[in-house]
């Protein structure tokens, strides 16, 4: 996978050195901790052989650091959605297991009713896993296209996802294609299993094909994860190849000298309800929400447009379709209605996908947040998308139109400065808003040191 972030590590007490260097400690390293000496001494009273054991307690859990890690992890809305999904799967699996081993016989006395409940749990878990695969499939399909095309930018994008530290490795195309193929096998197996659950009832369903799909759906992602974490994509590369890759990246990054002004404190263009500032953007944001959203995300540097469009469509429409069909295969009337209500609710909550990327846009470009809701701007972004998605999207598009977006930064639109004057020798004006954005105040001129630096660079280019 890509480079590990700082959140994947937990501070441990008394770092242990080996051969003069600190060992890398990951979040789950506490599972390797040896038992304390007091515990061994208690056991040694009943066994002489244990008296000779001297296993030092090398590390212990840092509970405050672990708690902080959990808090940071829960701040990500996608992690919260994943946690809710895992809880729903665990509850369904636990309830089905209790019925299968007879713990619910006293509550559900009829055998036919117990079989109906088992089938309902199977259908619900099938729907949950199908939805998860549908959500991930646009991204996997895009990765497959990149692996087949394999241009320079395609290889770089795939390295950041599947290769450790995003570094180039020998025969990396083959290794990455293998991981992508295993993940595609997982999705295809789940889609096949979903078709079997919908096409057959529990008495006529082919068990052999169902078990084969389950085996592929379980083993394929495990194999992909193990191959990514411990295979050729995670091994240490030779210093020569690493140096060559670094030099190439440096040449690419330094190939152009941008003399434009970086906007360090941008503002939202217009308020949330100021859709009249640009009626075209307002109408398109309402009637073509998915397409405008995907186009705006790619322009801002948040990924491929088509991946965003398909993912957003699936998030909004798939729950209603999957849970409605699942409810038709559940005999219990109460459970059938509950499954249908959950599908409608998940369709509405699919708009949070846009809220998530609005949060990323605000943080990346340092846009001001709305602290009206108990001081949490993330909540404000979520509510804006849930109850006025077209207005929120129109505001994001207007803001993107007002600035030039390159390399994750906002630049002043078409402004080059030399010694306080423009290239034509005229007096330097402030960055004025567009004609249909008259409500926005003109941005302040850039600081003097920025203009001096741009002037020096231009003189050096003229001399050279």
């Amino acid at each position: 996978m890509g480079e590990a972030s700082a959140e994947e590590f937990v501070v441990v007490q008394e770092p242990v050195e080996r051969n003069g260097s600190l060992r890398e400690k990951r979040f789950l390293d506490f599972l390797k901790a040896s038992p304390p000496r007091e515990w061994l001494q208690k056991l040694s009273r009943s066994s002489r052989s244990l008296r000779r054991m001297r296993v030092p307690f090398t590390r212990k859990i840092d509970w405050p650091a672990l708690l902080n890690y959990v808090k940071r992890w829960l701040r990500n809305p996608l992690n919260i959605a994943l946690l809710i999904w895992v809880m729903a799967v665990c509850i369904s699996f636990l309830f089905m297991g209790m019925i299968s081993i007879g713990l619910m016989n006293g509550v559900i006395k009829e055998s036919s009713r117990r079989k109906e409940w088992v089938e309902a749990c199977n259908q619900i878990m099938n729907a949950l896993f199908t939805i998860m695969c549908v959500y991930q499939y646009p991204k996997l399909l895009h990765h497959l296209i990149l692996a087949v095309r394999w241009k320079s930018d395609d290889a770089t994008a795939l390295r950041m996802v599947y290769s450790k530290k995003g570094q180039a490795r020998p025969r990396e195309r083959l290794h990455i294609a293998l991981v992508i193929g295993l993940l595609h096998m997982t999705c295809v197996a789940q889609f096949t299993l979903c078709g079997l659950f919908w096409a057959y009832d529990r008495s006529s369903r082919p068990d052999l094909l169902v078990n084969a799909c389950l085996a592929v759906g379980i083993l394929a992602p495990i194999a992909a994860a193990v191959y990514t974490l411990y295979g050729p994509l995670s091994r240490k590369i030779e210093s020569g190849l690493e140096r060559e890759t670094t030099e190439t990246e440096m040449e690419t990054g330094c190939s152009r000298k941008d003399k434009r002004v970086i906007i360090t404190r941008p503002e939202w263009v217009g308020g949330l309800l100021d859709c009249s500032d640009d009626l075209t953007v307002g109408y398109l944001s309402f009637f073509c929400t998915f397409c405008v959203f995907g186009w705006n995300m790619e322009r801002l540097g948040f990924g491929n447009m088509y991946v965003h469009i398909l993912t957003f469509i699936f998030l909004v429409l798939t729950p209603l379709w999957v849970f409605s069909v699942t409810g038709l295969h559940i005999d219990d009337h109460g459970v059938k209605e509950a499954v249908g209500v959950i599908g409608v609710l998940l369709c509405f909550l699919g708009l949070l996908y846009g809220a998530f990327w609005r949060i990323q846009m605000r943080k990346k470009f340092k846009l001001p947040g709305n602290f009206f809701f108990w001081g949490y701007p993330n909540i404000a972004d979520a509510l804006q998308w849930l109850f006025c998605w077209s207005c929120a999207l129109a505001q994001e598009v207007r803001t993107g139109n007002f600035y030039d977006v390159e390399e994750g930064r906002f630049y002043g639109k078409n402004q080059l400065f030399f010694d306080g004057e423009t290239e034509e020798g005229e007096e330097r004006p402030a960055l004025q808003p567009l004609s249909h954005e008259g409500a926005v105040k003109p941005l302040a001129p850039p600081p003097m040191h920025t203009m001096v630096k741009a002037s020096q660079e231009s003189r050096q280019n003229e001399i050279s």
Side-chain angles (χ1 to χ4, degrees):
M1 302 297 289
E3 182 177 359
S5 62
E7 296 181 358
E8 295 183 9
F9 298 89
V10 173
V11 180
V12 295
Q13 297 180 358
E14 299 180 1
V16 182
E17 294 187 3
R18 176 179 290 179
N19 299 328
S21 62
L22 293 177
R23 290 183 298 175
E24 190 181 63
K25 296 176 177 58
R26 301 184 71 84
F27 169 61
L28 295 179
D29 273 358
F30 67 87
L31 297 177
K32 303 178 183 178
S34 303
R37 185 178 301 176
E38 292 78 5
W39 183 76
L40 293 176
Q41 289 177 353
K42 292 181 181 180
L43 293 179
S44 64
R45 298 175 184 176
S46 58
S47 176
R48 294 182 179 180
S49 61
L50 290 176
R51 293 179 182 178
R52 299 179 181 179
M53 293 180 60
R54 294 293 182 268
V55 183
F57 181 57
T58 58
R59 59 179 74 89
K60 59 183 178 180
I61 304 174
D62 189 349
W63 290 107
L66 180 61
L67 182 60
N68 292 332
Y69 175 85
V70 173
K71 289 181 179 179
R72 291 195 302 269
W73 189 83
L74 290 175
R75 289 174 184 172
N76 191 335
L78 291 182
N79 293 336
I80 297 177
L82 179 61
L83 180 62
I84 296 174
W85 181 85
V86 171
M87 291 176 60
V89 172
C90 292
I91 291 174
S92 301
F93 183 79
L94 179 62
F95 188 71
M96 184 181 64
M98 293 174 62
I99 296 176
S100 301
I101 64 177
L103 294 179
M104 301 294 293
N105 291 348
V107 180
I108 308 175
K109 298 181 180 180
E110 299 179 1
S111 176
S112 59
R113 290 284 296 170
R114 290 195 295 269
K115 292 180 180 180
E116 291 177 0
W117 275 103
V118 170
E119 177 64 15
C121 292
N122 280 326
Q123 292 286 351
I124 291 174
M125 286 194 296
N126 170 66
L128 292 173
F129 280 101
T130 301
I131 288 177
M132 181 59 68
C133 290
V134 169
Y135 292 165
Q136 297 296 326
Y137 200 69
K139 185 183 298 184
L140 293 177
L141 187 60
H142 179 238
H143 290 171
L144 180 61
I145 295 174
L146 296 182
V148 172
R149 190 171 56 184
W150 198 255
K151 295 182 180 179
S152 178
D153 296 339
D154 303 335
T156 302
L158 291 176
R159 287 191 202 110
M160 298 304 297
V161 178
Y162 297 101
S163 182
K164 185 178 181 181
K165 297 182 180 180
Q167 296 174 344
R169 288 176 168 79
R171 295 183 294 179
E172 59 180 351
R173 185 180 185 183
L174 178 62
H175 302 309
I176 293 175
L178 178 60
V179 175
I180 295 175
L182 290 172
L183 296 178
H184 274 270
M185 288 175 58
T186 304
C187 293
V188 172
Q190 179 56 45
F191 297 153
T192 305
L193 184 65
C194 180
L196 293 175
F197 271 85
W198 288 355
Y200 300 91
D201 54 19
R202 63 175 181 269
S203 59
S204 61
R205 193 173 298 140
D207 294 335
L208 180 61
L209 191 56
V210 169
N211 294 333
C213 292
L214 288 174
V216 173
I218 294 173
L219 296 179
I222 295 176
V226 172
Y227 193 83
T228 302
L229 296 176
Y230 301 101
L233 294 174
S234 63
R235 295 173 185 171
K236 186 176 181 180
I237 61 177
E238 298 179 0
S239 58
L241 182 59
E242 183 178 2
R243 190 182 302 110
E244 181 180 355
T245 304
T246 304
E247 292 176 356
T248 304
E249 293 176 354
M250 291 179 61
E251 292 177 0
T252 304
C254 301
S255 59
R256 61 184 297 270
K257 294 181 180 179
D258 200 336
K259 303 174 186 176
R260 290 175 301 169
V261 178
I262 300 175
I263 308 300
T264 57
R265 306 180 83 177
E267 296 286 338
W268 293 104
V269 175
L272 181 67
L273 302 178
D274 292 337
C275 296
S276 59
D277 290 349
D278 195 326
L279 292 177
T280 302
V281 171
Y283 285 129
L284 289 176
S285 299
F286 182 81
F287 293 104
C288 304
T289 302
F290 302 124
C291 297
V292 173
F293 173 81
W295 168 80
N296 194 49
M297 287 296 101
E298 182 172 1
R299 179 181 61 163
L300 296 175
F302 289 115
N304 183 267
M305 174 179 66
Y306 300 104
V307 173
H308 280 292
I309 292 175
L310 291 178
T311 304
F312 202 179
I313 291 175
F314 290 156
L315 280 168
V316 175
L317 301 181
T318 301
L320 179 62
W321 170 58
V322 172
F323 279 94
S324 297
V325 178
T326 300
L328 297 177
H329 295 80
I330 296 177
D331 297 330
D332 189 272
H333 184 70
V335 177
K336 181 183 298 186
E337 290 185 351
V339 169
V341 172
I342 292 174
V344 175
L345 179 61
L346 289 178
C347 284
F348 176 70
L349 294 179
L351 294 173
L352 291 178
Y353 183 74
F356 170 77
W357 288 108
R358 181 183 176 90
I359 294 171
Q360 303 308 311
M361 176 183 175
R362 175 173 52 80
K363 292 180 178 179
K364 181 177 181 179
F365 299 107
K366 298 180 177 59
L367 291 162
N370 188 343
F371 295 90
F372 179 76
F373 296 94
W374 307 284
Y376 293 98
N378 293 353
I379 297 179
D381 293 335
L383 293 178
Q384 287 171 0
W385 259 92
L386 284 176
F387 298 104
C388 193
W389 79 89
S390 59
C391 300
L393 179 57
Q395 186 185 37
E396 297 168 15
V397 173
R398 292 197 308 270
T399 304
N401 289 339
F402 188 67
Y403 303 102
D404 278 338
V405 183
E406 287 187 14
E407 299 177 356
R409 293 178 178 178
F410 276 157
Y411 291 86
K413 209 174 212 28
N414 300 325
Q415 294 291 319
L416 296 175
F417 302 101
F418 302 98
D419 290 334
E421 296 182 355
T422 60
E423 290 182 328
E424 295 77 11
E426 300 176 356
E427 185 179 356
R428 176 182 58 83
L431 183 61
Q432 298 291 339
L434 300 178
S435 58
H436 58 272
E437 295 167 341
V440 182
K441 296 181 180 179
L443 297 179
M448 184 61 65
H449 66 83
T450 303
M451 297 185 292
V452 173
K453 183 178 179 181
S455 176
Q456 293 175 353
E457 292 178 353
S458 64
R459 290 173 180 174
Q460 292 177 0
N461 292 335
E462 292 177 357
I463 295 174
S464 60

